[in-house]
Amino acid sequence: MRARTGETLNCLSMWITTRRADLADAGLLHDLAAQTFGLACPPGTLQTDIDAFIAGHLSREAFERYLADPDRILLIAAADDTPVGYSMLVTGPIADPDVAAVVDEKTSIELSKFYVSADRHGSGTAAALMTATLTEAATTGADTCWLGVNQQNHRAANFYAKHGFAIIGTKRFRVGAVLHHDHIRQRLLTPA
């Protein structure tokens, strides 16, 4: 499914499209992840730790596994047909005890990944991707959508708050040897 919305930026017409990713997109998703993961890390995160995380969790092979997993939905956002962002939803058991303490895994879906290229921040691309992502989340029958966001990532926190995600707890997220502190945010979904 491809959603298309028009956007005007600096007096230029820009088209943002969103679509479900498929197995052929594994390399593209890895490239987007390599460009964007570091943007969400707090200042002072070592580049070697960011690179190791990408190699271990955001490689082409990792995306091939994610795309083959029926409990995951991956979306790609494109601006004028150029891929500029992606999201990933995950259903199923919650392994993190901090999250499991505040989120009902039977009625929720995780927004595990949500990234947009730095040059598209503030352009409306993230809003279009979020709308498509929440629509997909609602089609799963989940009542709520949750995510984790680094407590120092104020730009992302403001964006998620604007889209109805409220803080409901905290958790830790490891990048390299460093444990980062995240807010757990959740919002209700509109039934599909």
Side-chain angles (χ1 to χ4, degrees), residues 26-134:
L28 167 69
L29 288 162
H30 162 69
D31 292 344
L32 284 169
Q35 294 170 26
T36 59
F37 177 73
L39 300 172
C41 295
T45 304
L46 296 175
Q47 188 62 47
T48 54
D49 288 344
I50 292 170
D51 294 342
F53 187 91
I54 292 167
H57 302 280
L58 302 171
S59 66
R60 179 187 184 98
E61 296 76 22
F63 278 106
E64 287 172 353
R65 289 190 304 274
Y66 299 151
L67 289 161
D69 183 345
D71 291 332
R72 296 176 190 260
I73 298 169
L74 286 94
L75 298 176
I76 295 173
D80 288 338
D81 297 324
T82 300
V84 293
Y86 75 101
S87 65
M88 181 166 67
L89 295 161
V90 182
T91 61
I94 296 173
D96 186 308
D98 293 329
V99 177
V102 295
V103 175
D104 180 358
E105 70 181 32
K106 293 179 180 141
T107 62
S108 67
I109 189 166
E110 178 187 8
L111 177 50
S112 171
K113 313 226 178 308
F114 191 91
Y115 296 99
V116 172
S117 300
D119 64 336
R120 299 298 302 164
H121 287 183
S123 71
T125 302
L129 180 58
M130 181 58 77
T131 298
T133 301
L134 294 174

